[in-house]
Amino acid sequence: STIVIDGRYAYLTKGDDLLIIDISDPSKPVEASRLKLSGRHPTNVQLQGGYAYIPASLGGLNVVDVTNPLNPRQVTAIPFESHSLGFKIIGSFGYLARIVSVTPTERWYEASSVFEVLDLSVPHSPKTVGSVTIPTMIEDLDIVGNYAYVTGAQITGPDMLTIIDISSPSNPKAVDFPKPDFGQNNFHDIYINDVYAYILDSGRGIRVLNISDPLTPTLVATLEMPQTMYCIHGAGEIIYLCAQERYLNVADVDDPEDPVMKSSTIIPPG
């Protein structure tokens, strides 16, 4: 779950709720309010203009008025019945990735996902203005400039990384590009900082791509971490990674082409 800080409040999800925490005293955080959301397993809280945008599986995109953090109000939701994963807001547009179908095959699975562009200029009436279907099981997305970088599961085919041209919001297009040789992988989250993309490869670690040429990503480094990784959060040149084995890993990517593991800490249960 994403945690977003705005002034004295932190916004996160717990269960199927939006939870707002008063962190004015960091040593004694206090629950300020909570709100039941539409759908299940909400993630990827994004704040903009006094509203929180929160996609949830089997529910839709929740739009919540948080101008008064003590009394959040859901103003609308864009309904959908699929599993949502990546979501980013850039300007007045939201970019949402969600899985729409998974079909078993003799080899493994075939999946179909959709990448949607939402006009959020009127928060109480968001509209889908463009979309493109991708033949993969989308895991996450991040955006730089006119391109969205979308990660997908290897089990559904070769499209572990998809690049989408979003220069025209009403007509997003998946573009062809020379794919780096990743070998065996299990991609999940992606974090972009400057001209480098950091992809979480569960069981391997972090794959570092140079995307200074947006349509020619180059694999420049791999930071090996043989754990079952499931989330990545970046803060400039520091990356935080969490693992199923209850480890919190901290990596220094001050030199992106020579990433260094700074610490690995076991998180106690509870």
Side-chain angles (χ1 to χ4, degrees), residues 4-119:
V4 179
I5 308 296
D6 184 29
R8 60 183 286 184
Y9 295 100
Y11 299 78
L12 65 153
T13 57
K14 181 179 182 182
D16 298 332
D17 297 343
L18 169 65
L19 188 60
I20 303 178
I21 306 295
D22 185 336
I23 55 171
S24 52
D25 181 351
S27 66
K28 295 180 180 179
V30 177
E31 179 178 325
S33 60
R34 69 169 62 204
L35 178 70
K36 181 74 172 179
L37 298 169
S38 298
R40 303 293 304 277
H41 312 301
T43 58
N44 289 307
V45 179
Q46 301 274 299
L47 294 180
Q48 180 155 293
Y51 292 87
Y53 298 83
I54 311 153
S57 297
L58 304 177
L61 177 64
N62 295 267
V63 182
V64 179
D65 184 339
V66 292
T67 50
N68 179 3
L70 301 180
N71 184 32
R73 297 182 302 106
Q74 182 167 0
V75 295
T76 192
I78 296 181
F80 52 75
E81 294 299 318
S82 54
H83 185 55
S84 62
L85 289 151
F87 180 59
K88 299 289 181 184
I89 294 178
I90 304 292
S92 61
F93 292 101
Y95 302 87
L96 176 69
R98 55 192 181 90
I99 300 167
V100 293
S101 68
V102 179
T103 305
T105 67
E106 290 184 4
R107 295 186 59 186
W108 198 236
Y109 292 98
E110 288 183 356
S112 179
S113 300
V114 64
F115 174 92
E116 295 178 308
V117 184
L118 310 175
D119 183 346

Side-chain angles (χ1 to χ4, degrees), residues 1 188-189 200 228-233 239-243 248:
S1 175
H188 288 280
D189 292 5
L200 183 64
T228 306
M229 315 297 295
Y230 64 88
C231 72
I232 181 171
H233 297 282
I239 293 179
Y240 301 88
L241 306 108
C242 39
L248 175 64

Side-chain angles (χ1 to χ4, degrees), residues 144 192-198 208-213 218 220 256:
V144 60
I192 294 177
N193 183 48
D194 196 16
V195 296
Y196 291 91
Y198 304 88
V208 185
L209 301 180
N210 185 319
I211 56 172
S212 53
D213 180 346
T218 305
V220 295

Side-chain angles (χ1 to χ4, degrees), residues 89-239:
I89 294 178
I90 304 292
S92 61
F93 292 101
Y95 302 87
L96 176 69
R98 55 192 181 90
I99 300 167
V100 293
S101 68
V102 179
T103 305
T105 67
E106 290 184 4
R107 295 186 59 186
W108 198 236
Y109 292 98
E110 288 183 356
S112 179
S113 300
V114 64
F115 174 92
E116 295 178 308
V117 184
L118 310 175
D119 183 346
L120 305 177
S121 57
V122 182
H124 64 269
S125 183
K127 297 178 180 179
T128 301
V129 296
S131 65
V132 61
T133 300
I134 305 172
T136 191
M137 188 183 294
I138 282 179
E139 291 288 342
D140 195 21
L141 69 90
D142 206 348
I143 292 172
V144 60
N146 288 325
Y147 297 97
Y149 293 80
V150 180
T151 53
Q154 182 197 34
I155 60 173
T156 60
D159 297 314
M160 296 87 72
L161 179 65
T162 302
I163 301 177
I164 299 174
D165 183 339
I166 56 172
S167 57
S168 173
S170 63
N171 189 29
K173 295 180 179 179
V175 297
D176 292 328
F177 66 98
K179 291 179 171 57
D181 182 9
F182 295 112
Q184 186 175 3
N185 63 80
N186 185 16
F187 286 175
H188 288 280
D189 292 5
I190 181 171
Y191 162 65
I192 294 177
N193 183 48
D194 196 16
V195 296
Y196 291 91
Y198 304 88
I199 299 176
L200 183 64
D201 187 356
S202 185
R204 292 290 302 276
I206 305 174
R207 304 298 192 109
V208 185
L209 301 180
N210 185 319
I211 56 172
S212 53
D213 180 346
L215 298 182
T216 311
T218 305
L219 181 63
V220 295
T222 298
L223 178 59
E224 299 284 351
M225 287 182 290
Q227 299 170 338
T228 306
M229 315 297 295
Y230 64 88
C231 72
I232 181 171
H233 297 282
E237 286 72 42
I238 299 296
I239 293 179

